[in-house]
Amino acid sequence: MKIKDMDFTAVGDMLIQRRIPKQYQGLDELCAFIQKGDLRYFNLETTINRGELWGNQYSGGSWLRADEKVLEDAKRIGFNMLSFANNHTLDFSHWGLLKTIEALEAHDIPHAGAGRNLAEAAAPAYLDTGKGRFALVSACASFEPSAMAGAQSRRYIGRPGLNGLRHEETYVVTRQQMETLREIVQATHMNARDDIKRNEGYLPPLREGTLKLKTLSFVEGSAPERKSTVHPVDMVRVEKAIYEAEFQSDFIVVSIHSHELSGMQKENPDTFLVEFAHRCIDAGADAVVGTGPHILRPIEIYRGCPIFYSLGDFVLQNENIPYGPEEFYEDYGLNSDSTMRELFQKRSNNFTRGLQTDRRAFESVVPLCSYRGGELKHLLLLPIELGFGGPRSTSGLPRPMLGADFIERLSSMSSPYGTNIVMRDDGIAEVVL
């Protein structure tokens, strides 16, 4: 049975590297709005350790870590549930993941999306409140294959990792383009090793009419296009978690971290992501919250349930890392005798490119979803900004920005999904239901 009357607030990625001050301009108003929710969610896009662990062979772009006291800051703001499935979950390998889980458990914050094995990573997390019991199911679509958790068997313990949501891509090309691709493959012997493995039975046979170029699949069609669909095994695993959560709770939120896009604009969610969100609602979820690309993406109301394809950033401290593993420096032709300032200066082409130069990464909204009689009756959006172009001491910290002009952009990108967003006289935006 669904909760009849409740409120739900959420934010996007908390890419945090240092403490949030106990007081700064706009924080009180921001906290008051977030705390209107009975369930108050965010995505933790960092790991919890003090630099005592080795950096993994790969990272989500930077090796992110923070002191566990940032969890106290998150609770002080009002958050009571989080996801921990993103491309930075394994920045400090399995030990970094396990230490983060230990810190979350020590601070009594329900969390989903990563675990000591796949069953734990995929399982719903629960929050008991006076209004009822909330569930969170979390997955990540943007990850290195080795970051995915492993299932536990009768003889082997599971592998720590995240609840991965894989997707399958197919590129449709014309007959002439397909002939050209086949000529290139034959001339370069690009697929020789894989062809031998298929003949020996170590790779599955290709579907008729499909050409494989390493990890890329091509099929012949009338016009070029790219198609993506969610991996059936991973989708079933998420649907099973929703099925269980529907039995154990009164309200279900699914979170998904995805950088993948459709077309040439970061604002456009990939087609598999739309498929995933719809199937989650069809399976019984009450809301889907997306994070990942560090900018806002469209809002859709599907079967009376809100889908936020990306809520952008809530905290953005991407260049507040005190130091990194040797590979981080080597990626930019430096070594660990260099300063982080030198590293970021080189990565950003003298601070002229990257997230810190993209105003969109510093603009977001905090949705307040109000349910009455078991139905979504109001959906308010508090515009926030993260101090774009300001001093590093405060840049990346959120504060309200009433009447923000970027709401017009959010409304425009949401319109194809049938969503109408208007600005109220008080400077807060509202989704017309």
Side-chain angles (χ1 to χ4, degrees), residues 137-429:
V137 176
S138 178
C140 177
S142 303
F143 62 97
E144 292 285 336
S146 59
M148 188 163 178
Q152 190 151 319
S153 73
R154 291 180 178 85
R155 291 179 177 269
Y156 282 97
I157 62 173
R159 180 180 62 253
L162 53 78
N163 185 27
L165 181 77
R166 293 164 291 184
H167 64 282
E168 300 174 347
E169 294 181 326
T170 302
Y171 294 89
V172 181
V173 296
T174 65
R175 176 171 296 180
Q176 182 179 354
Q177 290 170 331
M178 180 67 88
E179 290 175 355
T180 300
L181 287 171
R182 291 189 187 281
E183 290 176 2
I184 293 172
V185 170
Q186 291 172 3
T188 61
H189 306 293
M190 186 182 300
N191 284 349
R193 186 183 180 196
D194 287 347
D195 288 342
I196 292 172
K197 291 173 71 174
R198 280 194 180 86
N199 291 333
E200 293 176 342
Y202 294 110
L203 284 176
L206 294 177
R207 291 192 295 268
E208 186 176 350
T210 299
L211 174 66
K212 199 85 169 177
L213 295 183
K214 300 302 180 182
T215 60
L216 303 178
S217 295
F218 294 85
V219 297
E220 191 176 305
S222 57
E225 64 173 317
R226 173 185 170 275
K227 296 180 179 180
S228 71
T229 184
V230 68
H231 193 287
V233 173
D234 296 343
M235 187 72 240
V236 168
R237 185 173 61 253
V238 171
E239 289 171 330
K240 184 177 181 181
I242 295 171
Y243 177 76
E244 174 67 7
E246 196 172 29
F247 178 68
Q248 296 283 356
S249 66
D250 307 304
F251 189 90
I252 305 167
V253 175
V254 173
S255 74
I256 176 67
H257 191 84
S258 172
H259 289 253
E260 288 73 19
L261 55 88
S262 177
M264 295 294 292
Q265 302 294 328
K266 286 176 69 175
E267 286 88 350
N268 299 331
D270 206 336
T271 50
F272 84 86
L273 188 60
V274 177
E275 175 196 1
F276 170 79
H278 287 188
R279 288 185 62 172
C280 286
I281 300 297
D282 292 340
D286 298 289
V288 176
V289 178
T291 62
H294 300 290
I295 59 172
L296 286 169
R297 278 180 169 173
I299 297 173
E300 179 181 12
I301 306 300
Y302 175 72
R303 297 182 60 183
C305 300
I307 299 173
F308 306 97
Y309 285 105
S310 172
L311 286 177
D313 293 318
F314 181 71
V315 173
L316 182 58
Q317 297 175 338
N318 197 37
E319 292 185 353
N320 292 107
I321 302 167
Y323 51 87
E326 191 68 26
E327 292 96 329
F328 200 4
Y329 301 91
E330 290 175 352
D331 286 343
Y332 300 97
L334 305 172
N335 59 51
S336 53
D337 291 332
S338 305
T339 64
M340 291 303 294
R341 178 175 183 171
E342 290 170 310
L343 188 156
F344 288 127
Q345 185 172 15
K346 194 161 187 180
R347 182 170 80 170
S348 65
N349 191 26
N350 200 26
F351 303 110
T352 61
R353 66 186 180 193
L355 289 179
Q356 303 299 130
T357 65
D358 190 344
R359 182 182 292 274
R360 297 174 302 170
F362 291 74
E363 299 170 338
S364 186
V365 295
V366 180
L368 170 60
C369 305
S370 297
Y371 295 80
R372 300 295 180 264
E375 296 182 0
L376 179 63
K377 290 297 184 182
H378 301 286
L379 204 175
L380 303 183
L381 305 170
L382 174 68
I384 62 172
E385 58 92 15
L386 277 58
F388 178 75
R392 282 185 184 273
S393 58
T394 57
S395 176
L397 295 176
R399 66 215 74 190
M401 188 182 184
L402 299 179
D405 57 5
F406 65 80
I407 294 298
E408 185 176 341
R409 187 178 79 250
L410 177 61
S411 179
S412 177
M413 73 174 80
S414 300
S415 180
Y417 293 82
T419 305
N420 182 23
I421 302 173
V422 298
M423 186 66 75
R424 304 195 320 181
D425 292 339
D426 60 2
I428 294 178

Side-chain angles (χ1 to χ4, degrees), residues 44-105:
L44 179 67
E45 192 162 24
T46 192
T47 60
I48 303 300
N49 68 83
R50 296 183 177 180
E52 72 274 29
L53 304 176
W54 62 83
N56 207 343
Q57 189 176 4
Y58 59 84
S59 75
S62 301
W63 281 261
L64 302 182
R65 64 177 179 83
D67 188 280
E68 67 178 271
K69 291 183 179 179
V70 300
L71 299 177
E72 299 173 10
D73 298 336
K75 294 180 72 171
R76 176 165 44 82
I77 291 172
F79 296 112
N80 55 14
M81 209 167 203
L82 65 85
S83 57
F84 179 47
N86 53 70
N87 50 302
H88 290 280
T89 304
L90 270 289
D91 277 2
F92 290 88
S93 194
H94 300 101
W95 287 113
L97 182 153
L98 295 174
K99 282 189 68 71
T100 303
I101 290 175
E102 290 173 5
L104 292 172
E105 291 175 346

